[in-house]
Amino acid sequence: RHPIFVSPNSFTNTMPSVYDDVALDAAVKEQLDACIVAGGNNVVAKSLEGKGRGLVATKLIKAGSVVLVEKPLASVRSPIDRVFDNAAYPNLLVAKQLVKEKDKAVVDSVLDTLTPGRAFTAETMPLLDTERRQDTTSAAAKLAKFASKQVSEADATALLLTMEMNNFALQHDTSQHQVFGFYFAASFMNHSCKPNACHFLDPNVSDDKDKAAAAPIVIRAVTDIQPGTEVCIAYCELLQQPSSRQAFLKQRYLFDCACEVCSTSAHAFLEGEDVSDDTAELIEGLAFSQPSTLEEKTQLIERLTWVFELCLGEAAKDSFVYFQAVSTLGNALLDTDPIKSLAFLQSALAIAEKVYPTYWPPLLTRIKRVHAALAKCPASPEQQTELDQLIARFEEGYIKCRGAVCCGPKCSQRPYSALKRCARCKAVGYCSKECQVADWPRHKGECKTLAAAAAAKVTK
């Protein structure tokens, strides 16, 4: 599933569209094109040998630049702590919205174009584990009953499976909600454990219920992507051990990953062979726990410290298990012992830098956490220098990777230092006056607050 090269000579359209090589009804194509916010001429969906379809670059896309921005065909918003009795229920909600709001021709195009769709439903169902198959069957029956005029029972099952294999679960860093969205063009992107692009929810859309649910997905390059190269994202956490990644991809997406990273063990330092399965399972359970009281947080720190000191040897210090341990300890100790917290979070950042590309969003999150811990430590000239460096790294990555704070594609291709700042708040950048005017309806709500925060910082 590693990015492959396709001859650039195949791109001959004077007005390229993502769907130029996909057989679509003209009316359906018009609806799908309307969802493309930016980057529609950057990529095209093409058939790739042994992989079905994928998105292929039509031009040079520089690292940090927008590849594609797309609104969802259907999406729903849900609290991140909501537990679904039926794991297929989020896909059912998205499928219901799709058949409710789009005409049958669009639904048919989804089933005929994307995998598994109609063609492979019979082959796919037996590959699911028993519980997942039961959940999908139950959800499909509800969908068929809900939309009996639009889809047959067989098509309902095919649509549920297509949603399950192609939907995205996205959220803003500080949001308590997540968006389950179906993005047609983005669904063509294949996986690589060494991706050349990342994806995230448009950070310029507010967390308001209606707006967040309809927020676009943003695809950004994390390396330079040459014309004719497939654009790939990661379907899983890159810091996981290769065996864990492969097992997840097989169970969740039903394919065996044979990319360069998996086949050559290029990330051998993440193998963690000296970490027992029991220890890994214990740390994973602790790492994803959410202590709400001081007592629970104290117990978490004590248990993790014990595992950290007694179960993890020196050979395991580059493993995903070690990364989980130091990340969780650093976060848990942030308020009570910032010096120890800083040491743990710096260890986590050092591991993340070995795997994550420069513009990878989770890497920016690690930088932000180290900054938060360092800011709580006793002040010194050296500390201020390091704080400034962390801020510069985060701002540069944010502008390039997390979505430009103005119009998107044009501004994101410029380094942060080259953008002209808003004269009032000095906190956001623009590539032109026209760009600033276009962004003002969004920015005016935050400008006064940002300016006040900047003034308070200077006074302090």
Side-chain angles (χ1 to χ4, degrees), residues 48-70:
L48 304 175
E49 185 177 353
K51 300 177 67 172
R53 285 191 176 92
L55 288 188
V56 176
T58 61
K59 60 178 71 173
L60 172 64
I61 306 174
K62 299 292 289 184
S65 299
V66 167
V67 176
L68 186 73
V69 182
E70 181 187 13

Side-chain angles (χ1 to χ4, degrees), residues 189-207:
M189 288 188 298
N190 289 309
H191 164 81
S192 174
C193 295
K194 190 177 181 181
N196 54 17
C198 63
H199 63 285
F200 49 90
L201 199 64
D202 186 348
N204 294 326
V205 176
S206 74
D207 196 35

Side-chain angles (χ1 to χ4, degrees), residues 109-126:
S109 295
V110 170
L111 291 172
D112 292 336
T113 305
L114 297 176
T115 302
R118 291 190 177 103
F120 300 102
T121 299
E123 300 174 20
T124 303
M125 284 295 282

Side-chain angles (χ1 to χ4, degrees), residues 22-41:
V22 182
L24 292 171
D25 177 82
V28 171
K29 184 178 178 182
E30 184 177 351
Q31 292 185 61
L32 297 176
D33 281 337
C35 292
I36 304 297
V37 178
N41 61 349

Side-chain angles (χ1 to χ4, degrees), residues 350-365:
I351 294 177
E353 287 175 325
K354 294 180 181 179
V355 178
Y356 292 146
T358 303
Y359 304 112
W360 201 250
L363 182 61
L364 301 180
T365 299

